[in-house]
Amino acid sequence: EVQLLESGGGLVQPGGSLRLSCAASGFTFSTYAMSWVRQAPGKGLEWVSGISSSGGTTYYADSVKGRFTMSRDNSKKTLYLQMNSLRAEDTAIYYCAKTAVHYDSVWGSYRFKWFDPWGQGTLVTVSS
Amino acid sequence: DIQMTQSPSSLSASVGDRVTITCQASQDINYYLNWYQQKPGKAPKLLIFDASNLETGVPSRFSGSGSGTDFTFTISSLQPEDIATYYCQQYNNLPPGGLTFGGGTKVEI
């Protein structure tokens, strides 16, 4: 059974930093792309970032580009999200998700397709 | 970014009713559209991928259709366990910096 377990959430002041982790089990982690998706309290879903299976390629939403860094350690089967310069609008539940991808050779880019399954999420609260 | 307009934002129906949710893209996204179910306090779950393909293990009362800009998600006979919020999600963008979700439809009985 595929399992994804996020950790590292908590309360942080505006401008602060936090690192989220996502421990994976039940599948060959090193062969799958992964993503982070967040959900502000009572709001909808927002894709945050994605990473290729090797970790060599990362993508970010404009809202977090330059502030967040996604990485992975395939030997530890763990995904990370380093979040710097946090803002109140970053307050959300952060989910990691196994991601179906297709490499588009014409565009020279990965096409991230869908998220399945998702972890249970970890809450990040940015407040003074 | 491609905008996804989902409607209605909420609906109330009876057990056994047919429920339909629509999702409209701001530009042609081919068939690059997925549907998720999120029950209260839980993570989202993939139900439909590529507009009309049912994920393994998902009951056949769920279905999806459409292509281009207009898509439909249907529950053929609403069950009590279907109470949830449903989201569409497009993946037309390359590179994938603009993956976007619809605003969600809350389904109540």
Side-chain angles (χ1 to χ4, degrees):
Chain A
E1 179 192 4
V2 173
Q3 288 198 334
L4 299 168
L5 185 62
E6 301 94 336
S7 60
L11 175 64
V12 60
Q13 292 188 337
S17 298
L18 211 55
R19 188 176 86 153
L20 306 183
S21 299
C22 171
S25 61
F27 66 105
T28 307
F29 181 72
S30 61
T31 65
Y32 285 92
M34 298 291 294
S35 295
W36 289 96
V37 180
R38 69 184 180 184
Q39 185 171 35
K43 301 297 184 182
L45 300 166
E46 179 188 17
W47 175 82
V48 172
S49 62
I51 190 167
S52 62
S53 58
S54 68
T57 304
T58 52
Y59 302 99
Y60 300 93
D62 287 344
S63 58
V64 306
K65 202 173 293 183
R67 300 188 298 122
F68 289 12
T69 302
M70 187 175 183
S71 61
R72 63 191 297 163
D73 185 334
N74 284 344
S75 66
K76 295 182 178 179
K77 300 181 183 180
T78 302
L79 186 70
Y80 303 100
L81 185 67
Q82 177 66 43
M83 304 186 296
N84 299 330
S85 303
L86 282 161
R87 306 166 180 167
E89 54 265 36
D90 295 319
T91 294
I93 296 172
Y94 285 74
Y95 298 99
C96 66
K98 181 168 162 278
T99 304
V101 296
H102 167 72
Y103 185 75
D104 190 310
S105 57
V106 173
W107 289 88
S109 173
Y110 288 96
R111 185 184 296 277
F112 281 42
K113 302 199 292 183
W114 54 80
F115 313 110
D116 178 48
W118 303 48
Q120 88 292 341
T122 187
L123 177 63
V124 172
T125 303
V126 184
S127 174
S128 55
Chain B
D1 286 357
I2 297 173
Q3 306 303 316
M4 304 302 295
T5 303
Q6 198 174 329
S7 61
S9 57
S10 66
L11 66 89
S12 181
S14 300
V15 172
D17 282 356
R18 183 180 185 88
V19 170
T20 299
I21 299 168
T22 64
C23 193
Q24 185 171 60
S26 59
Q27 65 186 69
D28 189 336
I29 59 169
N30 203 337
Y31 58 87
Y32 299 152
L33 192 284
N34 309 310
W35 291 95
Y36 298 84
Q37 175 193 65
Q38 186 178 31
K39 295 185 177 182
K42 300 295 186 181
K45 174 187 174 184
L46 177 69
L47 297 182
I48 304 278
F49 62 93
D50 285 348
S52 61
N53 294 283
L54 199 65
E55 174 70 339
T56 302
V58 174
S60 59
R61 64 180 180 273
F62 296 101
S63 65
S65 65
S67 66
T69 60
D70 295 303
F71 300 84
T72 300
F73 172 81
T74 301
I75 307 173
S76 61
S77 177
L78 186 67
Q79 300 301 303
E81 60 267 32
D82 300 337
I83 299 312
T85 299
Y86 294 85
Y87 294 93
C88 61
Q89 172 245 321
Q90 65 82 19
Y91 63 93
N92 186 66
N93 298 65
L94 280 176
L99 285 162
T100 49
F101 291 84
T105 296
K106 186 175 183 180
V107 175
E108 300 175 313
I109 291 183

